[in-house]
Amino acid sequence: MKVNKTTSKPRRKPAQSRSSNTVDCILEASAHILVSEGQGKLNTNHIAKIAGVSVGSIYQYFGNKETILAELGNRHIDEMLTIIMATLQKLPSLDLKEALETMVHAVMDAHKQEPQLHQVLVRELNKLDGYTRVEELDGVLLNLTESFLKSRAHEISSEDLKLASFVVMQTIENLTHQGVLFAPQIDLSKLTKECSHMLYCYLTG
Amino acid sequence: MKVNKTTSKPRRKPAQSRSSNTVDCILEASAHILVSEGQGKLNTNHIAKIAGVSVGSIYQYFGNKETILAELGNRHIDEMLTIIMATLQKLPSLDLKEALETMVHAVMDAHKQEPQLHQVLVRELNKLDGYTRVEELDGVLLNLTESFLKSRAHEISSEDLKLASFVVMQTIENLTHQGVLFAPQIDLSKLTKECSHMLYCYLTG
DNA sequence: ATTTAATGTGAGTAAATGCTCATATTATAG
DNA sequence: CTATAATATGAGCATTTACTCACATTAAAT
């Protein structure tokens, strides 16, 4: 049976500054291990050693290993959402072609934030029972895409806006993600243009 | 330091039929555990129990846990390649639009083979040091796409065929993969048309 | 029928890992 | 300055897990 391990067992919340520093060290060490040594080496004793902190300190602030991953995920997803949300306000004043380019560019920027960490983190968060923020992020992006397409419905030839939203959102998400991972083998500014051009052709054609 | 654990330590190869049956049971049990219980529960003792086999038997045929995953990956990738290769011969006689639809359809078929297993398996294979067949599969698909685009160069407006191949290949791969995971919420035959239509617009537009 | 090779078994071992707790140190409050 | 709360420590326990090995069973060879 699967149990949510990411929210139970309440722990102390940092009050003094040194303790929130400890928390940051733990999270940074975990991120570092994930990227440079892989999930297999992510164990609490090792995290403590890399963070320069004792195991006990970890369990002052995190109920278990899973909540460390969850918090790492929360922070990362929040960063991405911030970047993407900031771009939304620019869209209404732009024409369709420009708007698509801006969207792709924004998601690209979001993915440039520690792309390796993003990849490994999403992998591991998907294994975390009860952690729903990855799906939440996807849901938000899908909704944003759909309301954007609705606002441009008169310019768009597609009949099924739900399906079109799925296609647009998945295409942006995946092409930027893969592009960033393959950079600099792939020219990201060229890819941004290519991607938005494809979507423009698709939506208008 | 990272070490290839997927090829070392040679083990007995099955000679009698009961032994290759044992091997199959081990692989099937592993696949079942991965899909229904997750990577966290994939340990050799549990595999043995589910397979109805003793731990010792596992180590008669697999040098370590990693080689089980590797073999599972090999078989899965071979299946996908078989399906995709079979479609290649049809392409030359088709016009661009039909050919794209056929390609998307083929990759969709390949992904319909145990989509959940595919997802988890690719996740875990990426963590396997020394296992290169996932990248190999991607490389093959990229090359096939590129030579296909070259053969249609006169119909295609794109200047950078390498970049276009990347875009086309990634788009097909991801949209089919995600589509299959979201089915039946997503209508796969509609998605196939939508995807190939988008690529057609992109390449000719 | 007997020997030999192939295959199967599972208790047991060594190592890894999540986590606790008794204790020590540091900061803040009165 | 003292008392109390907050924070930090790390040895060590309980559990899990990869893997071995001495032995048992089954099939093939002669």
Side-chain angles (χ1 to χ4, degrees):
Chain A
M1 205 191 57
K2 311 212 163 189
V3 179
N4 184 343
K5 300 194 69 173
T6 64
T7 53
S8 51
K9 290 192 185 180
R11 290 294 148 118
R12 187 186 299 278
K13 283 192 180 174
Q16 303 175 0
S17 68
R18 62 176 168 150
S19 61
S20 50
N21 176 57
T22 301
V23 169
D24 289 346
C25 285
I26 293 167
L27 292 171
E28 278 164 31
S30 302
H32 181 259
I33 292 169
L34 275 179
V35 170
S36 60
E37 306 187 64
Q39 182 267 339
K41 291 279 153 55
L42 191 79
N43 62 72
T44 51
N45 293 312
H46 193 213
I47 293 172
K49 188 157 282 177
I50 299 292
V53 146
S54 81
V55 224
S57 286
I58 291 182
Y59 288 92
Q60 292 261 343
Y61 306 103
F62 300 95
N64 50 46
K65 204 180 81 166
E66 281 70 32
T67 55
I68 303 176
L69 263 176
E71 178 61 16
L72 216 47
N74 286 339
R75 295 194 179 194
H76 186 74
I77 288 173
D78 286 343
E79 272 179 35
M80 294 191 76
L81 274 175
T82 302
I83 293 175
I84 290 165
M85 289 303 194
T87 329
L88 271 186
Q89 295 140 355
K90 301 180 192 163
L91 295 187
S93 65
L94 301 173
D95 65 38
L96 181 59
K97 198 168 175 49
E98 290 167 337
L100 284 169
E101 243 172 70
T102 307
M103 285 170 65
V104 175
H105 199 94
V107 178
M108 188 81 81
D109 281 346
H111 273 283
K112 279 180 187 164
Q113 303 286 118
E114 316 190 68
Q116 283 108 341
L117 177 63
H118 176 85
Q119 188 179 34
V120 184
L121 204 47
V122 170
R123 253 220 293 275
E124 298 308 317
L125 291 174
N126 276 325
K127 298 200 286 207
L128 264 196
D129 295 326
Y131 190 82
T132 57
R133 291 211 61 203
V134 175
E135 289 87 342
E136 182 202 311
L137 175 62
D138 284 353
V140 168
L141 293 179
L142 191 60
N143 286 337
L144 291 176
T145 307
E146 195 179 343
S147 57
F148 170 74
L149 291 188
K150 266 183 190 152
S151 75
R152 312 284 176 140
H154 56 286
E155 305 181 66
I156 290 175
S157 66
S158 175
E159 297 137 31
D160 189 338
L161 275 191
K162 271 245 174 351
L163 182 59
S165 306
F166 180 82
V167 169
V168 169
M169 181 270 202
Q170 286 292 339
T171 300
I172 294 179
E173 178 70 20
N174 181 63
L175 278 182
T176 56
H177 176 63
Q178 294 294 332
V180 167
L181 287 180
F182 277 79
Q185 207 179 321
I186 291 281
D187 182 324
L188 293 185
S189 62
K190 271 175 116 178
L191 179 62
T192 304
K193 276 182 193 151
E194 204 81 351
C195 177
S196 49
H197 170 246
M198 175 168 76
L199 293 173
Y200 181 77
C201 294
Y202 163 59
L203 290 171
T204 60
Chain B
M1 206 190 58
K2 313 213 160 187
V3 179
N4 184 344
K5 299 192 71 171
T6 64
T7 52
S8 50
K9 289 190 183 181
R11 291 293 147 118
R12 186 185 299 278
K13 284 194 179 174
Q16 302 175 1
S17 68
R18 61 176 169 149
S19 61
S20 50
N21 177 56
T22 300
V23 169
D24 289 345
C25 284
I26 292 167
L27 292 171
E28 278 164 31
S30 301
H32 182 259
I33 292 169
L34 273 180
V35 170
S36 60
E37 306 186 65
Q39 180 266 338
K41 292 279 154 54
L42 190 78
N43 62 70
T44 51
N45 294 312
H46 192 212
I47 294 172
K49 187 156 281 176
I50 299 290
V53 145
S54 80
V55 224
S57 286
I58 292 182
Y59 287 93
Q60 292 263 344
Y61 305 103
F62 299 95
N64 50 44
K65 206 180 78 166
E66 281 70 32
T67 56
I68 302 176
L69 263 177
E71 177 61 17
L72 216 47
N74 285 339
R75 295 194 179 194
H76 186 74
I77 288 173
D78 286 344
E79 274 179 35
M80 293 191 76
L81 273 176
T82 303
I83 293 175
I84 290 165
M85 289 304 195
T87 329
L88 271 185
Q89 295 140 355
K90 301 180 193 164
L91 295 187
S93 64
L94 302 173
D95 64 39
L96 182 59
K97 199 170 176 46
E98 290 168 335
L100 283 169
E101 244 174 71
T102 307
M103 285 170 65
V104 175
H105 199 93
V107 178
M108 188 82 81
D109 281 346
H111 273 283
K112 279 181 186 163
Q113 304 285 117
E114 317 191 68
Q116 281 108 342
L117 178 62
H118 176 85
Q119 188 180 34
V120 184
L121 203 48
V122 171
R123 252 220 293 277
E124 298 308 318
L125 291 175
N126 275 324
K127 299 201 286 205
L128 264 196
D129 295 324
Y131 190 82
T132 56
R133 291 211 60 204
V134 175
E135 290 88 342
E136 180 201 311
L137 174 63
D138 284 353
V140 168
L141 292 179
L142 192 60
N143 286 337
L144 291 177
T145 307
E146 196 179 342
S147 58
F148 170 73
L149 291 189
K150 268 184 189 150
S151 76
R152 311 284 176 141
H154 55 287
E155 304 181 67
I156 289 175
S157 66
S158 175
E159 297 137 30
D160 189 339
L161 274 190
K162 272 244 171 356
L163 182 59
S165 306
F166 180 82
V167 169
V168 169
M169 180 270 201
Q170 286 293 340
T171 301
I172 294 179
E173 178 70 20
N174 181 63
L175 278 182
T176 55
H177 175 63
Q178 293 294 332
V180 166
L181 287 180
F182 277 79
Q185 207 179 322
I186 291 282
D187 182 325
L188 292 185
S189 63
K190 272 175 112 179
L191 179 63
T192 304
K193 276 182 193 149
E194 205 79 353
C195 178
S196 50
H197 171 245
M198 175 167 77
L199 292 173
Y200 181 76
C201 294
Y202 163 59
L203 290 171
T204 60

